[in-house]
Coordinates of all heavy atoms in Angstrom, one line a residue:
A769 N 0.9 -1.2 0.0 CA 0.0 0.0 0.0 C 0.9 1.2 0.0 O 0.6 2.2 -0.7 CB -0.9 0.0 1.2
D770 N 2.0 1.2 0.8 CA 2.9 2.4 0.8 C 3.5 2.6 -0.6 O 3.7 3.7 -1.0 CB 4.0 2.2 1.9 CG 3.5 2.2 3.3 OD1 2.3 2.7 3.5 OD2 4.2 1.8 4.2
N771 N 3.9 1.5 -1.2 CA 4.5 1.6 -2.6 C 3.5 2.2 -3.6 O 3.9 3.0 -4.4 CB 5.0 0.2 -3.0 CG 6.4 -0.1 -2.5 OD1 7.4 -0.1 -3.2 ND2 6.5 -0.4 -1.1
V772 N 2.3 1.7 -3.5 CA 1.2 2.2 -4.4 C 1.1 3.7 -4.2 O 1.0 4.5 -5.2 CB -0.1 1.5 -4.2 CG1 -1.2 2.2 -4.9 CG2 0.0 0.1 -4.8
T773 N 1.0 4.2 -3.0 CA 0.9 5.6 -2.6 C 2.1 6.4 -3.2 O 1.9 7.4 -3.8 CB 0.8 5.8 -1.1 OG1 -0.4 5.1 -0.6 CG2 0.7 7.2 -0.7
W774 N 3.3 5.9 -3.0 CA 4.4 6.6 -3.5 C 4.5 6.6 -5.0 O 4.7 7.7 -5.6 CB 5.7 5.9 -3.0 CG 7.0 6.7 -3.3 CD1 7.5 7.7 -2.6 CD2 7.8 6.5 -4.5 NE1 8.6 8.2 -3.2 CE2 8.8 7.5 -4.4 CE3 7.8 5.6 -5.6 CZ2 9.8 7.6 -5.4 CZ3 8.8 5.8 -6.5 CH2 9.8 6.7 -6.4
L775 N 4.2 5.5 -5.7 CA 4.3 5.5 -7.1 C 3.1 6.4 -7.7 O 3.4 7.1 -8.6 CB 4.1 4.1 -7.6 CG 5.3 3.2 -7.5 CD1 4.9 1.7 -7.7 CD2 6.4 3.6 -8.5
S776 N 1.9 6.3 -7.1 CA 0.8 7.2 -7.6 C 1.2 8.6 -7.5 O 0.9 9.4 -8.3 CB -0.4 6.9 -6.8 OG -0.9 5.6 -7.0
S777 N 1.9 9.0 -6.4 CA 2.3 10.4 -6.2 C 3.3 10.8 -7.3 O 3.2 11.9 -7.9 CB 3.0 10.5 -4.9 OG 3.6 11.8 -4.7
Q778 N 4.2 9.9 -7.7 CA 5.2 10.2 -8.8 C 4.4 10.4 -10.1 O 4.8 11.3 -10.9 CB 6.3 9.2 -8.9 CG 7.0 8.9 -7.5 CD 7.3 10.1 -6.7 OE1 7.8 11.1 -7.1 NE2 6.9 10.0 -5.4
L779 N 3.5 9.4 -10.3 CA 2.8 9.4 -11.6 C 1.9 10.7 -11.7 O 1.7 11.2 -12.8 CB 2.0 8.2 -11.7 CG 2.7 6.9 -11.9 CD1 1.8 5.7 -11.7 CD2 3.4 6.8 -13.2
S780 N 1.4 11.2 -10.6 CA 0.5 12.3 -10.7 C 1.2 13.6 -11.2 O 0.6 14.5 -11.7 CB -0.2 12.6 -9.3 OG 0.8 13.0 -8.4
A781 N 2.5 13.6 -11.0 CA 3.3 14.7 -11.5 C 3.2 14.8 -13.1 O 3.3 15.9 -13.6 CB 4.7 14.6 -11.0
R782 N 3.1 13.6 -13.7 CA 3.0 13.6 -15.1 C 1.6 13.6 -15.6 O 1.3 14.2 -16.6 CB 3.8 12.3 -15.6 CG 3.6 11.9 -17.0 CD 4.4 12.7 -17.9 NE 4.5 12.1 -19.2 CZ 4.0 12.6 -20.4 NH1 3.3 13.7 -20.3 NH2 4.2 11.9 -21.5
Y783 N 0.8 12.9 -15.0 CA -0.6 12.6 -15.4 C -1.6 13.3 -14.5 O -2.3 12.7 -13.7 CB -0.9 11.2 -15.5 CG 0.1 10.4 -16.4 CD1 1.0 9.5 -15.8 CD2 0.1 10.6 -17.8 CE1 1.9 8.9 -16.6 CE2 1.0 10.0 -18.6 CZ 1.9 9.1 -18.0 OH 2.9 8.5 -18.8
K784 N -1.6 14.6 -14.6 CA -2.4 15.5 -13.7 C -3.9 15.3 -13.8 O -4.7 15.5 -12.9 CB -2.1 16.9 -13.9 CG -0.6 17.2 -13.5 CD -0.3 18.7 -13.8 CE 1.1 19.1 -13.6 NZ 2.0 18.3 -12.8
T785 N -4.4 14.8 -14.9 CA -5.8 14.6 -15.2 C -6.3 13.2 -14.8 O -7.5 13.0 -14.8 CB -6.1 14.9 -16.7 OG1 -5.5 14.0 -17.5 CG2 -5.8 16.3 -17.0
L786 N -5.4 12.3 -14.5 CA -5.9 11.0 -14.1 C -6.5 10.9 -12.7 O -6.0 11.6 -11.9 CB -4.7 9.9 -14.3 CG -4.2 9.7 -15.7 CD1 -3.1 8.6 -15.6 CD2 -5.3 9.3 -16.6
T787 N -7.5 10.1 -12.6 CA -8.1 9.9 -11.3 C -7.1 9.1 -10.3 O -6.2 8.5 -10.8 CB -9.4 9.1 -11.3 OG1 -9.1 7.8 -11.8 CG2 -10.4 9.8 -12.3
T788 N -7.3 9.3 -9.0 CA -6.5 8.5 -8.0 C -6.7 7.1 -8.3 O -5.7 6.3 -8.2 CB -7.0 8.9 -6.6 OG1 -6.8 10.3 -6.4 CG2 -6.2 8.1 -5.6
K789 N -7.9 6.6 -8.6 CA -8.1 5.2 -8.9 C -7.2 4.7 -10.1 O -6.6 3.7 -10.0 CB -9.6 5.0 -9.2 CG -9.9 3.5 -9.5 CD -11.4 3.4 -9.8 CE -11.8 1.9 -10.0 NZ -11.7 1.4 -11.3
R790 N -7.2 5.5 -11.1 CA -6.4 5.2 -12.3 C -4.9 5.2 -12.0 O -4.2 4.3 -12.4 CB -6.7 6.1 -13.5 CG -5.9 5.8 -14.8 CD -6.3 4.4 -15.3 NE -5.5 4.2 -16.5 CZ -4.9 3.0 -16.8 NH1 -4.9 2.0 -15.9 NH2 -4.2 2.9 -17.8
L791 N -4.4 6.2 -11.2 CA -3.0 6.3 -10.8 C -2.7 5.0 -10.0 O -1.6 4.5 -10.2 CB -2.8 7.5 -10.1 CG -2.8 8.8 -10.8 CD1 -2.8 10.0 -9.9 CD2 -1.7 8.9 -11.9
N792 N -3.6 4.6 -9.1 CA -3.3 3.4 -8.3 C -3.2 2.2 -9.1 O -2.4 1.3 -8.9 CB -4.4 3.3 -7.2 CG -4.2 4.3 -6.1 OD1 -3.2 5.0 -6.0 ND2 -5.3 4.4 -5.3
E793 N -4.1 2.1 -10.1 CA -4.1 0.9 -11.1 C -2.7 0.9 -11.8 O -2.1 -0.2 -11.9 CB -5.2 1.0 -12.1 CG -6.6 0.8 -11.5 CD -7.7 1.2 -12.5 OE1 -7.4 1.7 -13.6 OE2 -8.8 0.8 -12.1
I794 N -2.2 2.0 -12.2 CA -0.9 2.0 -12.9 C 0.2 1.7 -12.0 O 1.1 0.9 -12.3 CB -0.7 3.4 -13.6 CG1 -1.7 3.7 -14.7 CG2 0.7 3.5 -14.2 CD1 -1.8 5.1 -15.1
A795 N 0.1 2.1 -10.7 CA 1.1 1.8 -9.7 C 1.1 0.3 -9.5 O 2.2 -0.3 -9.4 CB 0.8 2.6 -8.4
W796 N 0.0 -0.3 -9.3 CA -0.1 -1.7 -9.2 C 0.5 -2.5 -10.4 O 1.2 -3.5 -10.2 CB -1.5 -2.2 -9.0 CG -2.0 -2.1 -7.5 CD1 -2.9 -1.3 -7.0 CD2 -1.4 -2.8 -6.4 NE1 -3.0 -1.4 -5.6 CE2 -2.1 -2.3 -5.2 CE3 -0.4 -3.7 -6.2 CZ2 -1.8 -2.8 -3.9 CZ3 -0.1 -4.2 -4.9 CH2 -0.8 -3.7 -3.8
Q797 N 0.3 -1.9 -11.6 CA 0.9 -2.6 -12.8 C 2.4 -2.5 -12.7 O 3.1 -3.5 -13.1 CB 0.4 -1.9 -14.1 CG -1.1 -2.2 -14.3 CD -1.6 -1.4 -15.5 OE1 -1.0 -0.5 -16.0 NE2 -2.9 -1.7 -15.8
I798 N 2.9 -1.4 -12.3 CA 4.4 -1.3 -12.1 C 4.9 -2.3 -11.1 O 5.9 -3.0 -11.4 CB 4.8 0.2 -11.7 CG1 4.5 1.2 -12.8 CG2 6.2 0.3 -11.3 CD1 4.5 2.6 -12.3
I799 N 4.3 -2.3 -10.0 CA 4.7 -3.3 -8.9 C 4.6 -4.7 -9.5 O 5.6 -5.5 -9.3 CB 3.9 -3.1 -7.7 CG1 4.2 -1.7 -7.0 CG2 4.2 -4.2 -6.7 CD1 3.2 -1.3 -5.9
S800 N 3.5 -5.0 -10.1 CA 3.3 -6.4 -10.6 C 4.4 -6.8 -11.6 O 4.9 -7.9 -11.6 CB 1.9 -6.5 -11.2 OG 0.9 -6.3 -10.2
S801 N 4.6 -5.9 -12.5 CA 5.6 -6.1 -13.6 C 7.0 -6.4 -13.0 O 7.7 -7.3 -13.3 CB 5.7 -4.9 -14.5 OG 4.5 -4.8 -15.2
L802 N 7.4 -5.5 -12.0 CA 8.7 -5.6 -11.5 C 8.8 -6.8 -10.5 O 9.8 -7.5 -10.6 CB 9.1 -4.3 -10.7 CG 9.3 -3.1 -11.6 CD1 9.4 -1.9 -10.7 CD2 10.4 -3.3 -12.6
Q803 N 7.8 -7.1 -9.7 CA 7.9 -8.3 -8.9 C 7.9 -9.6 -9.7 O 8.7 -10.4 -9.4 CB 6.6 -8.3 -8.0 CG 6.6 -7.3 -6.9 CD 7.5 -7.6 -5.7 OE1 8.0 -8.7 -5.6 NE2 7.8 -6.6 -4.9
G804 N 7.1 -9.7 -10.7 CA 7.1 -10.8 -11.6 C 8.4 -11.0 -12.3 O 8.9 -12.1 -12.4

C-alpha cells in the first residue's frame, strides 16, 4: 500500500488529469511487472 501511494504520487506529476483510482491501477501494474 505504501508503494502504491508513493508510485501514484510520482505518476500524478506527469498525469495530472488521471483519477486517483487510475493512478493506483498504474502503480499496481508497475509493482506487478517488477515483482514478476
Side-chain angles (χ1 to χ4, degrees):
D770 290 346
N771 276 253
V772 168
T773 299
W774 186 85
L775 285 165
S776 295
S777 173
Q778 308 320 309
L779 293 166
S780 70
R782 166 79 162 112
Y783 305 108
K784 296 179 185 342
T785 61
L786 294 181
T787 65
T788 301
K789 181 179 186 268
R790 181 66 180 130
L791 292 169
N792 287 347
E793 290 170 350
I794 297 167
W796 277 115
Q797 290 171 355
I798 292 168
I799 293 167
S800 299
S801 295
L802 294 173
Q803 288 286 344

